[in-house]
């Protein structure tokens, strides 16, 4: 078993100074961090998160922003569908929950883009509830320290039961959950675990001599040359333009494989991240009419000058 007391004490002195952990951070801002941290390293998330919450500190502020502005602010975090879902989530919270992030797990699960992990993370870290929170880091720590095995799988319902059994019954449960996650992220890492720095006095995996896992090793996701990279290149072009762009401008963004480029563009259209104008140009979602609006504004301005 894991001793909660020694783990919480270690966390108090060794935790990273992450901005979403600081006093005064709202439940909404914690929810934003959880959206951003999905499959994205902390170092890349931190500057984007800081700029985001300064610009849109509440769900209603985010909901009032244009979808294209949200995609631009998302920048290089990857998986831009998360930005679209976060915008949708903000709209639901603003409209249906009086601009307050729900506290209970079941209601959180009903929000766009909020899954099993995110719902429990918000309930735990924002509302200090005693609920199990399991990501790949927590699963790894529990598999090693409690079960004495190397495990490269993905979190499951069984992992929630394992962690629930470990949670202390007092008010330190949220700190314990954060500490488990921190231990997996900084010490009990997937590759090259730093066991000499581990605060746990007992670890079944260590006691058994660090046995290797029996399953197939988890494959590292490559990025170069994938459809994800092509989608990113196309979105970069659209983020950099205030107006819809011609197809030719997108074509030069990826010339290696034209079929792959076409497939990536189609997927962006299907996901609703990109729109096509009536005359065949392309824009970020919500900006297909930008040119017409700009022309109208210029016309109104010119007419006003003539009248003066």
């Amino acid at each position: 078993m894991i001793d909660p007391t020694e783990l919480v004490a270690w966390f108090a002195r060794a935790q990273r100074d992450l901005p979403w952990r600081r006093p005064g951070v709202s439940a909404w801002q914690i929810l934003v961090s959880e959206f951003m941290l999905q499959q994205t390293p902390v170092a890349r998330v931190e500057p984007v998160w800081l700029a985001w919450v300064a610009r849109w500190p509440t769900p209603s502020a985010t909901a009032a922003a244009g979808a294209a502005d949200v995609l631009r602010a998302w920048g290089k975090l990857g998986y831009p569908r998360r930005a679209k879902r976060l915008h949708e989530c903000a709209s639901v919270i603003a409209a249906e929950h009086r601009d307050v992030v729900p506290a209970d797990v079941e209601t959180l699960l009903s929000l766009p883009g909020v899954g099993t992990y995110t719902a429990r993370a918000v309930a735990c870290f924002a509302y200090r509830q005693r609920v199990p929170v399991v990501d790949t880091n927590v699963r790894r720590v529990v598999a090693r320290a409690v079960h004495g095995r190397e495990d490269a799988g993905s979190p499951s319902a069984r992992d929630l039961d394992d962690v629930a059994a470990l949670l202390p019954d007092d008010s330190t449960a949220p700190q314990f959950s954060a500490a488990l996650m921190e231990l997996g992220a900084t010490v009990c890492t997937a590759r090259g675990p730093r066991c000499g720095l581990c605060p746990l006095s007992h670890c079944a995996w260590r006691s058994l001599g660090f046995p290797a896992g029996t399953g197939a090793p988890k494959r590292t996701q490559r990025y170069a040359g994938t459809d994800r990279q092509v989608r990113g290149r196309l979105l970069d072009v659209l983020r950099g333009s205030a107006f819809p762009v011609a197809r030719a401008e997108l074509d030069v963004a990826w010339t290696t494989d034209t079929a792959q480029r076409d497939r990536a563009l189609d997927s962006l259209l299907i996901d609703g991240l990109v729109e096509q104008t009536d005359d065949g140009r392309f824009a970020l979602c919500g900006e297909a009419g930008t040119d017409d609006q700009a022309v109208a504004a210029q016309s109104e301005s010119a007419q006003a000058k003539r009248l003066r």
Side-chain angles (χ1 to χ4, degrees):
M1 295 292 288
I2 296 174
D3 182 348
T5 303
E6 62 184 8
L7 187 58
V8 169
W10 167 82
F11 182 66
R13 64 177 183 271
Q15 63 175 299
R16 291 168 293 175
D17 178 24
L18 303 179
W20 42 86
R21 288 177 176 168
R22 294 170 188 164
V25 175
S26 70
W28 165 250
Q29 293 164 359
I30 290 174
L31 177 59
V32 171
S33 76
E34 294 298 344
F35 265 79
M36 292 182 174
L37 287 164
Q38 296 167 20
Q39 298 178 286
T40 306
V42 166
R44 288 174 55 197
V45 167
E46 186 169 350
V48 178
W49 182 87
L50 287 169
W52 189 290
V53 299
R55 184 178 184 183
W56 300 310
T58 62
S60 57
T62 309
D69 288 335
V70 168
L71 280 174
R72 284 194 175 91
W74 191 260
K76 296 283 192 177
L77 290 183
Y79 301 99
R81 276 176 293 185
R82 289 181 293 165
K84 189 171 186 292
R85 297 295 275 170
L86 180 57
H87 190 241
E88 294 167 357
C89 182
S91 299
V92 171
I93 295 172
E96 300 179 15
H97 299 282
R98 298 184 179 182
D99 217 26
V100 177
V101 175
D104 65 288
V105 171
E106 291 306 313
T107 306
L108 284 162
L109 285 168
S110 70
L111 298 175
V114 175
T116 298
Y117 164 77
T118 302
R120 285 165 173 77
V122 171
C124 176
F125 303 137
Y127 293 110
R128 319 302 295 170
Q129 295 181 22
R130 186 184 179 276
V131 295
V133 183
V134 181
D135 67 354
T136 54
N137 289 316
V138 171
R139 177 186 169 94
R140 185 188 319 112
V141 170
V142 173
R144 288 172 174 172
V146 177
H147 300 298
R149 65 172 184 261
E150 183 68 283
D151 197 312
S154 299
S156 66
R158 181 176 179 178
D159 298 311
L160 289 173
D161 294 336
D162 280 350
V163 174
L166 295 172
L167 289 175
D169 292 325
D170 57 26
S171 60
T172 63
Q175 289 98 312
F176 176 78
S177 292
L180 269 181
M181 197 173 298
E182 188 80 346
L183 186 65
T186 63
V187 176
C188 193
T189 54
R191 297 179 181 178
R194 301 188 293 168
C195 296
L197 299 178
C198 182
L200 303 181
S201 57
H202 175 75
C203 171
W205 189 56
R206 185 171 64 223
S207 299
L208 293 171
F210 312 106
T214 55
K218 187 176 181 180
R219 292 185 300 175
T220 302
Q221 290 184 333
R222 65 184 182 91
Y223 178 70
T226 63
D227 284 5
R228 281 183 54 220
Q229 184 182 24
V230 184
R231 283 163 57 100
R233 292 280 184 87
L234 298 177
L235 285 174
D236 282 346
V237 174
L238 298 176
R239 287 193 194 99
S241 175
F243 305 109
V245 304
R247 176 60 187 265
E249 294 182 59
L250 295 177
D251 287 347
V252 298
W254 189 263
T255 57
T256 307
D257 184 335
T258 57
Q260 183 183 34
R261 182 191 63 219
D262 293 345
R263 182 172 67 245
L265 179 56
D266 286 343
S267 71
L268 289 171
L269 290 164
I270 291 170
D271 288 344
L273 299 173
V274 172
E275 297 175 345
Q276 191 167 16
T277 65
D278 292 339
D279 61 0
R281 289 173 298 158
F282 297 87
L284 292 176
C285 55
E287 286 194 329
T290 301
D291 250 5
D292 293 338
Q293 294 166 3
V295 170
Q298 291 172 356
S299 176
E300 290 178 6
S301 176
Q303 184 176 6
K305 288 180 180 178
R306 285 195 297 270
L307 292 174
R308 282 202 294 268

